[in-house]
Amino acid sequence: MAIAFDVRAGDPARAATPLLVVALPAEPAFPRALAALDRRYGGALSRAVRRKDFQGGKDESLLLFAPGAGPERVLLVGAGTADPVKGLTRAATLAGRKAAGLGVGRLAFWAADLVGEALEGVVVGLSLGGWEFKELHSPVPAAKRKKALTAATVYVPNVRAARSALAAGVAVAEGQNITRRLAMLPGNICTPEYLARAARDIGRRHRLAVKVFGRREMTRMKMFSFLAVAQATTQDPKLIVLEYRGGRRGEAPVALVGKGLCFDSGGISIKPAASMEMMKFDMSGAAGVLGAMEAIARLKLRINVVGLIGSTTNMLGGEAMKPGDVVRASNGKTIEIQNTDAEGRLVLADVLHYARRYKPQAVVDAATLTGAVVVALGSTTVGVMGNDQAVIDEVLAAGRRGGEVGWQLPLFEEYKELIKSDVADMRNIGGRGAGTITAALFLAEFAEGMPWVHLDVAGTAYSETDMVVMPKGPTGTPVRTFVEFVRGRAR
Ligand code: BES
Ligand code: MN
Ligand code: ZN
C-alpha cells in the first residue's frame, strides 16, 4: 500500500509519533532546531553526536528511546556528504526500510530545510524503503503481524511551498513501486494479459489511450519476428500501447519501449535449470514503461509520451521456433534465428518498427536483454547504447539524476560483421564476444531513422542480494531514467 504523506512545519519535539527519523549530514554539529527534542531525550541525541557514536555517514543509523510524551523513538540516519539530495534520498530509504522492519506503521521525518529536490528525494526514499512484497504469503496471525508503513509526516520549513515537491515524490515512487511489484510477480500470475490489464488500469486512472493487440492483429501487421517467440506459448502475446497526451496536439512524442518476457525459458536453446526462476523478471523493461507512464501521468508533464510493450513468454513445444528458422520482421528484413534464447531482440524488432508510425522525437527502450551486460558492467550499472550521441548523453544524464547510473558501450561498424547470416539479412546472435553490443546492433536495424537509445537493464533491474537500502528483488530500474529523461524534455 502507498504511504499517505503529509507535511508540517514546527518543532518535531512535540510530534506524537512512534518513530521520528532525524537525518543529519556527515560530521554534524547537533542542530539547534532540535534542542527541545534533545532535552526530551535527556541530551542523548547531542551526546551521541558529540561522542561520535553517530557521525552522519552514509548508511549509518542509531535508534534511541525516550519515556514520556513526544516521539517514542528517534532514529538518527546519516545523509553522508557528497550530494545532499542523493544522501537524503538514501537516508530516507534506509529509514523507510527500518520503519517497515520495526512495524511502527507510521513515522515522522525531519531534516534541515527540506525543500524542492531534497524533499522530493525524501518522499521517494521513504516510499521505496517502506515498500514490501507480501501479497503471496499467507496472512500472519494478527498478534504477530507487523504493521506496514502507511503514513508519514515530513517536517518542512514552509508547508505551502512543499506541496509540489511532495506530489512529485509520490508520483515517482508510485511509478517505481508499480514496476517493482510487477517484476516480483511470478510468470503464472503476471502474464502478457496481466500486463495488458495493468496498462488498462493506468489508462483508466489517468485517461491515457490504451491499445492492446494480440496474435491476430500482429499477424495482420506481419510481426513475424515477435510472433516467432510466441509460437510455443498458449497465452496470447500482447503488443501494448499507452498514449499520454500532455503536450501540444501534433507534437512528436517520446517513445518508451519495454521488453515484456513474462518468462524466458530460452526455448529450444533451453537455459540451464539453476536460477531459471529468475527469468520471471524478463519483463522488467515493460514493467519500467508502465511505472514510468504512471509517474509521468501523475506529474502531469507537458509532453506527449507513448509507451510500447512487447509481451509474451519464450517456451518450448512442437510449435516452437527452432535454431535455423528464418523469419521476416514487419519492416521486411529477414532474420536467421540461430539461438532461440536471443528472443528479446526478436520481440523488440517489431515493436521498435511499430514505434516509427509515431514519428517520435526520441525512442528509449529498456530490456533485460543480455547476460553479457552483467559480465561487462556488473549489477549496478546500466548498459547504454544508441544511434544518436546527443540523446545518449541526455539519457546518461537522466540516469545520473535519478540514481540509475549508466555507461555507454560503442556500436562500432566493425561489430556488425558479427550478426551477418549466410541465409538471411542478419542472424539473432553474434559471436562469443561483445554480446551486449551485438544485441544492440541488432535492435539498431529496426530503429533506423529514429533517434534511439537502448538500455540493457539485465544486471540492474533485479538485485540478487540484499543491499543496505535495496532488498533482494526488483529495484525499479529503469523508471527513474525514463522519467527524468521525459521530464527533461517536457515544457
Ligand atoms: N533474458 C535473457 C538475458 C539475461 C540472461 C538476463 C541472464 C539476466 C541474466 C535474454 O533473453 C537471453 O537469454 N540472452 C542470451 C543471449 C545469447 C543467447 C546471445 C544471453 O545473454 O545469454
Ligand atoms: Mn533469452
Ligand atoms: Zn530474455
Side-chain angles (χ1 to χ4, degrees):
M1 199 168 87
I3 300 176
F5 281 94
D6 70 284
V7 286
R8 187 174 301 179
D11 190 340
R14 280 193 295 272
T17 177
L19 178 68
L20 172 67
V21 179
V22 171
L24 298 178
E27 295 173 28
F30 191 76
R32 243 194 259 144
L34 298 179
L37 180 72
D38 193 33
R39 276 198 297 283
R40 195 152 247 164
Y41 274 71
L45 302 176
S46 58
R47 225 177 312 134
V49 168
R50 221 177 313 120
R51 299 250 176 99
K52 298 198 186 296
D53 285 36
F54 175 81
Q55 302 186 57
K58 179 180 166 192
D59 301 339
E60 233 187 282
S61 67
L62 184 66
L63 185 64
L64 296 145
F65 278 80
E72 192 183 342
R73 308 169 181 80
V74 166
L75 178 70
L76 300 175
V77 285
T81 41
D83 176 330
V85 173
K86 292 227 168 72
L88 273 172
T89 306
R90 192 172 171 105
T93 313
L94 181 62
R97 234 193 135 179
K98 296 234 180 232
L102 288 166
V104 286
R106 61 197 170 91
L107 60 76
F109 190 99
W110 184 94
D113 304 322
L114 267 186
V115 294
E117 283 179 11
L119 175 58
E120 182 181 325
V122 164
V123 172
V124 169
L126 289 173
S127 305
L128 295 184
W131 182 79
E132 293 174 296
F133 183 87
K134 296 249 173 91
E135 60 191 275
L136 298 180
H137 283 110
S138 304
V140 176
K144 286 190 185 169
R145 199 177 305 154
K146 279 188 194 162
K147 282 189 223 151
L149 183 60
T150 54
T153 301
V154 183
Y155 281 85
V156 295
N158 181 333
V159 169
R160 289 250 314 270
R163 292 286 165 208
S164 72
L166 174 66
V170 169
V172 170
E174 275 303 292
Q176 270 182 292
N177 283 341
I178 282 181
T179 298
R180 291 166 85 188
R181 174 176 176 275
L182 288 170
M184 190 70 113
L185 285 173
N188 63 325
I189 295 175
C190 185
T191 59
E193 173 61 38
Y194 191 97
L195 286 181
R197 253 183 288 140
R200 286 202 188 93
D201 178 55
I202 293 169
R204 192 163 355 90
R205 284 187 289 107
H206 300 296
R207 294 152 160 264
L208 314 195
V210 175
K211 293 182 236 173
V212 179
F213 303 112
R215 213 184 287 270
R216 210 158 26 109
E217 294 87 349
M218 286 193 265
T219 305
R220 253 185 248 130
M221 291 189 274
K222 300 187 170 11
M223 296 186 166
F224 301 120
S225 181
F226 185 157
L227 287 168
V229 179
Q231 258 166 230
T233 173
T234 52
Q235 298 169 348
D236 200 35
K238 302 291 184 194
L239 169 62
I240 304 166
V241 183
L242 305 92
E243 295 171 356
Y244 169 76
R245 298 194 186 99
R248 293 196 186 89
R249 185 187 281 266
E251 192 178 72
V254 168
L256 304 177
V257 176
K259 170 179 174 181
L261 265 288
C262 292
F263 186 71
D264 177 13
S265 71
I268 299 295
S269 315
I270 193 167
K271 287 182 181 297
S275 301
M276 206 202 268
E277 72 280 359
M278 259 293 287
M279 285 302 138
K280 69 175 182 178
F281 98 127
D282 212 15
M283 35 56 74
S284 295
V289 169
L290 291 174
M293 296 306 284
E294 170 80 25
I296 288 162
R298 280 179 183 249
L299 288 166
K300 301 191 171 64
L301 296 182
R302 284 150 65 103
I303 185 169
N304 296 329
V305 183
V306 55
L308 300 164
I309 288 167
S311 182
T312 184
T313 53
N314 187 16
M315 301 299 285
L316 302 85
E319 300 285 318
M321 59 176 171
K322 307 170 293 299
D325 285 0
V326 173
V327 295
R328 189 184 295 277
S330 48
N331 70 343
K333 290 185 185 174
T334 55
I335 302 161
E336 182 188 1
I337 298 166
Q338 287 193 347
N339 189 318
T340 65
D341 199 8
E343 86 298 338
R345 64 199 78 181
L346 296 173
V347 169
L348 289 176
D350 283 324
V351 182
L352 285 170
H353 180 68
Y354 185 85
R356 183 176 305 272
R357 71 185 57 205
Y358 287 93
K359 299 189 171 58
Q361 52 172 287
V363 182
V364 187
D365 83 69
T368 48
L369 204 62
T370 66
V373 80
V374 190
V375 178
L377 297 172
S379 57
T380 51
T381 307
V382 176
V384 181
M385 288 140 283
N387 60 9
D388 183 315
Q389 193 56 46
V391 187
I392 292 170
D393 291 337
E394 208 179 323
V395 170
L396 287 168
R400 278 194 298 272
R401 284 200 299 282
E404 296 172 352
V405 179
W407 197 256
Q408 185 179 356
L409 301 177
L411 298 187
F412 296 137
E413 279 288 318
E414 286 79 355
Y415 293 112
K416 268 201 183 169
E417 291 299 316
L418 299 171
I419 54 168
K420 285 208 167 133
S421 161
D422 294 342
V423 297
D425 295 337
M426 67 194 100
R427 57 178 187 155
N428 76 330
I429 53 168
R432 281 182 57 80
T436 302
I437 290 170
T438 49
L441 273 171
F442 182 95
L443 298 183
E445 295 289 322
F446 301 88
E448 264 172 13
M450 304 185 285
W452 157 78
V453 179
H454 160 61
L455 305 173
D456 195 330
V457 295
T460 45
Y462 204 100
S463 176
E464 285 184 85
T465 54
D466 187 291
M467 297 183 293
V468 184
V469 295
M470 188 58 77
K472 192 173 163 192
T475 60
T477 301
V479 173
R480 296 298 300 268
T481 309
F482 277 160
V483 172
E484 292 305 321
F485 176 77
V486 171
R487 247 178 158 179
R489 285 198 166 208
R491 272 186 289 140

